[in-house]
């Protein structure tokens, strides 16, 4: 490596650490528009080599000019994005520097073993069945896809059908059943797998958005043939948690496969205090969650867990081309558990986060976010004109202003423009609302209180006095 080779690395390191050090002070929303950014990044493809430091410098400028939101900062409460633990960023830097193909043991022994250990720790931490198989796809959507593919394999094999070889034409119909408030990525996985999303049976939910077990029993009674039931732990708006244990008991009577969408909410299982929320979770057949949300590792990293490793492997990789070494016991090949072939070592930051936080550290992170969420709810309830729309069970609050859609959207817009904090809007049961999602290790009580002040001022400006 020459000095010129090292220079862009040094520059990136300084830009990155400077960014992280100033994260709590920078404007939270992005301020540059598409036209400005296009000008910065666009123009014709350079006809020849340019200095690498100039290239990295350009990225620094895009950030300086407001091209990215401080989404991993302490007062970003939009979507469910999560922050990043310093140790996870550091591990991710090594992932890029080492540039390992994390597909086969033989391609990278240390990466394969670290991923295996991370998977075992996830099972232990969340209280999922020993012996379940674990994969690290790009996100929860791909974890759904992997899970439903494993379910499809098992249910159709039981009916004498080899879906991996023969596909779906002519196969027995697999019914997918989900709560009426399931996340849209369940539909995506159903589409990718050839089930289609149009046929998903939506089970009525209660007032909090949780699947009703009695209604599930009713739906299952009308269905013939293989069934996959998708339960949800953590509604993206309200944080509501389906009664998964009861759902599993009912589904079991119909030989149905139960898949759990626990993108962020499944981390509640790591907290002794919150664990009762997910009682019975271990009875399901597959689980999908994200590390890039509540575990606070960088994008992109999901986790898929399947209680039936043979079905999981059969759905992902059951034949190997001649140039791939045969699997060796004790040497885990990641390609058996995810849809990717070549892939980055995205599980390394997960290993690093779990190794550093330990069991108590993960529980503390999850509980702290929930406590801060409760603080939001309590403080916001004291602001005139604010209506709380959900029972706070996890890390999500929804509020509405002046019982009016226009006023609510106006308050959200004003808060977003404040630069102090960022919240997204949504529609909940037909009414406009503002979402609050607390999933960042950096967020403090002061951040919550400052943000509530901004919301209070916006409400005062938008709602007629009195
Ligand atoms: C974020 C989310 C997903 C999708 O996860 P990705 O990692 O974005 O693919 C699915 N379900 C729920 C409940 C989510 O919050």
């Amino acid at each position: 490596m020459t000095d010129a080779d090292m220079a862009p690395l040094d520059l990136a390191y300084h830009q990155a650490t400077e960014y992280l050090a100033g994260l709590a002070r920078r404007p939270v929303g992005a301020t540059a528009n598409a036209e400005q950014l296009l000008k910065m990044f666009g123009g014709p493809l350079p006809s020849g080599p340019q200095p690498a430091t100039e290239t990295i410098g350009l990225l620094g400028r895009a950030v300086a000019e407001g091209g990215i939101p401080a989404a991993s900062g302490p007062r970003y409460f939009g979507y469910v994005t999560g922050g990043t633990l310093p140790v996870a960023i550091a591990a991710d830097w090594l992932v890029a520097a080492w540039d390992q193909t994390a597909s086969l043991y033989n391609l990278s022994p240390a990466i394969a073993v670290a991923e295996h250990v991370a998977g075992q720790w996830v099972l232990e931490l969340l209280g999922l069945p020993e012996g379940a198989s674990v994969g690290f796809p790009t996100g929860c959507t791909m974890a759904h896809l992997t899970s439903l593919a494993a379910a499809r394999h098992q249910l159709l094999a039981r009916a004498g059908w080899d879906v991996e070889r023969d596909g779906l034409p002519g196969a027995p119909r697999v019914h997918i059943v989900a709560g009426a408030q399931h996340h849209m990525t369940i539909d995506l996985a159903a589409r990718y797998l050839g089930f289609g999303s149009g046929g998903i049976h939506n089970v009525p939910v209660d007032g909090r958005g949780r699947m009703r077990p009695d209604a599930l029993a009713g739906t299952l009674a009308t269905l013939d043939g293989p069934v996959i039931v998708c339960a949800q732990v953590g509604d993206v708006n309200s944080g509501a948690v389906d009664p998964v244990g009861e759902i599993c008991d009912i589904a079991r009577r119909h030989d149905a496969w139960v898949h759990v969408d626990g993108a962020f909410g499944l981390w509640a299982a790591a907290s002794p205090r919150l664990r009762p929320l997910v009682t019975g979770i271990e009875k399901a057949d597959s689980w999908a969650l994200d590390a890039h949300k509540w575990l606070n590792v960088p994008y992109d990293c999901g986790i898929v867990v399947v209680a039936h490793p043979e079905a999981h492997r059969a759905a992902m990789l059951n034949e190997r081309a001649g140039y791939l070494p045969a699997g060796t016991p004790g040497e885990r090949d990641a390609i058996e558990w995810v849809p990717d072939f070549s892939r980055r070592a995205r599980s390394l930051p997960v290993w690093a986060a779990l190794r550093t936080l330990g069991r108590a550290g993960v529980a503390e992170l999850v509980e702290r976010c929930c406590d801060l969420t409760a603080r939001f709810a309590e403080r916001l309830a004291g602001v005139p004109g604010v209506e709380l729309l959900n029972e706070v069970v996890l890390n999500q609050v929804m509020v509405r202003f002046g019982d009016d859609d226009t006023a609510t959207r106006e308050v959200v817009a004003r808060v977003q423009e404040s630069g102090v904090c960022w919240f997204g809007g949504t529609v909940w049961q037909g009414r406009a609302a503002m979402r609050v999602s607390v999933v960042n290790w950096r967020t403090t009580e002061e951040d919550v209180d400052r943000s509530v002040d901004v919301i209070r001022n916006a409400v005062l400006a938008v709602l007629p006095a009195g």
Side-chain angles (χ1 to χ4, degrees):
M1 293 274 279
T2 63
D3 286 352
D5 292 329
M6 292 303 289
L9 298 176
D10 287 338
L11 182 59
Y13 173 79
H14 286 294
Q15 280 179 193
T17 49
E18 212 171 282
Y19 176 81
L20 292 171
L23 197 48
R25 291 185 301 277
R26 55 182 294 118
V28 179
T31 50
N33 63 34
E35 201 186 332
Q36 292 165 325
L37 292 167
L38 193 59
K39 207 182 273 176
M40 201 176 300
F41 287 109
L45 174 68
S47 58
Q50 309 289 315
T53 47
E54 204 179 285
T55 304
I56 298 303
L58 217 47
L59 294 178
R61 231 187 83 204
V63 170
E65 295 189 10
I68 65 173
S72 61
R75 291 181 309 284
Y76 188 90
F77 303 104
Y79 304 95
V80 187
T81 60
T84 37
L85 296 161
V87 73
I89 300 173
D92 207 56
W93 285 347
L94 294 177
V95 168
W98 293 347
D99 188 27
Q100 297 294 292
T101 309
S103 304
L104 297 165
Y105 179 89
N106 138 304
L107 269 161
S108 193
I111 299 295
V113 171
E115 180 160 312
H116 168 74
V117 170
Q120 295 307 300
W121 285 350
V122 167
L123 297 182
E124 202 182 317
L125 183 66
L126 302 180
L128 298 180
E130 232 177 277
S133 45
V134 187
F136 293 86
T138 50
C140 196
T141 307
M142 285 297 117
H144 290 333
L145 177 124
T146 307
S147 300
L148 298 193
R152 187 178 69 165
H153 169 87
Q154 175 138 322
L155 295 173
L156 289 179
R158 211 184 275 162
W161 190 266
D162 183 342
V163 69
E164 283 74 32
R165 189 189 61 203
D166 299 329
L168 283 177
R173 167 93 188 266
V174 177
H175 295 283
I176 300 186
V177 174
Q181 229 150 270
H182 64 268
H183 195 266
M184 60 173 285
T185 51
I186 293 288
D187 299 74
L188 294 181
R191 284 170 184 244
Y192 302 155
L193 289 168
F195 293 131
S197 54
I200 293 180
H201 304 271
N202 282 311
V203 178
V205 293
D206 66 13
R208 296 178 193 163
R210 300 174 300 188
M211 191 195 294
R212 280 174 33 206
D214 62 314
L216 172 65
T219 300
L220 291 180
T222 66
L223 299 177
D224 241 352
V227 176
I228 303 171
V229 176
C230 299
Q232 179 168 260
V233 170
D235 176 274
V236 75
N237 285 308
S238 71
V241 176
D242 285 348
V244 180
E246 262 181 276
I247 287 171
C248 288
D249 294 340
I250 294 165
R252 197 63 72 230
R253 295 203 283 274
H254 294 263
D255 281 334
W257 176 292
V258 178
H259 171 64
V260 176
D261 176 358
F264 60 94
L266 205 53
W267 292 102
S271 150
R273 196 182 93 194
L274 296 163
R275 178 94 199 168
L277 266 180
V278 299
T279 297
I281 196 89
E282 69 286 348
K283 291 189 267 189
D285 297 284
S286 59
W287 303 261
L289 70 156
D290 275 316
H292 56 218
K293 288 176 179 170
W294 217 341
L295 188 61
N296 281 218
V297 304
Y299 285 88
D300 44 15
C301 186
I303 304 174
V304 54
V305 179
V306 179
H308 315 283
E310 288 315 316
H312 188 176
R313 182 192 281 116
M316 292 294 111
L317 183 98
N318 59 1
E319 281 172 27
R320 294 186 184 218
Y323 72 101
L324 301 183
T328 306
E331 297 182 0
R332 181 182 181 278
D333 289 333
I335 46 166
E336 294 189 333
W337 314 111
V338 288
D340 314 77
F341 205 65
S342 301
R343 58 194 283 276
R344 77 193 255 99
R346 65 171 61 88
S347 52
L348 208 63
V350 174
W351 174 85
L354 294 177
R355 163 72 180 70
T356 306
L357 291 171
R359 180 184 284 279
V362 177
E364 196 272 334
L365 167 64
V366 171
E367 289 167 10
R368 176 154 40 103
C369 288
C370 291
D371 290 343
L372 292 170
T373 309
R375 187 180 182 94
F376 255 121
E378 188 194 310
R379 307 254 149 156
L380 286 171
V383 177
V386 172
E387 180 191 354
L388 285 184
L389 299 184
N390 65 313
E391 185 205 20
V392 176
V393 291
L394 272 178
N395 64 319
Q396 302 288 128
V397 191
M398 268 183 301
V399 284
R400 179 171 161 85
F401 306 107
D403 193 19
D404 182 76
D405 285 357
T406 310
T408 298
R409 294 196 183 103
E410 176 67 19
V411 170
V412 172
R414 278 175 182 260
V415 172
Q416 287 180 355
E417 281 160 21
S418 73
V420 176
C421 47
W422 203 96
F423 300 83
T426 190
V427 175
W428 178 254
Q429 296 171 345
R431 300 194 298 164
M434 186 180 89
R435 299 173 67 257
V436 182
S437 177
V438 187
V439 266
N440 193 323
W441 70 276
R442 290 176 181 271
T443 306
T444 64
E445 291 186 347
E446 292 71 50
D447 290 314
V448 172
D449 295 351
R450 246 183 101 187
S451 302
V452 170
D453 285 343
V454 170
I455 297 168
R456 183 185 292 112
N457 288 336
V459 171
L460 283 173
V462 169
L463 294 184

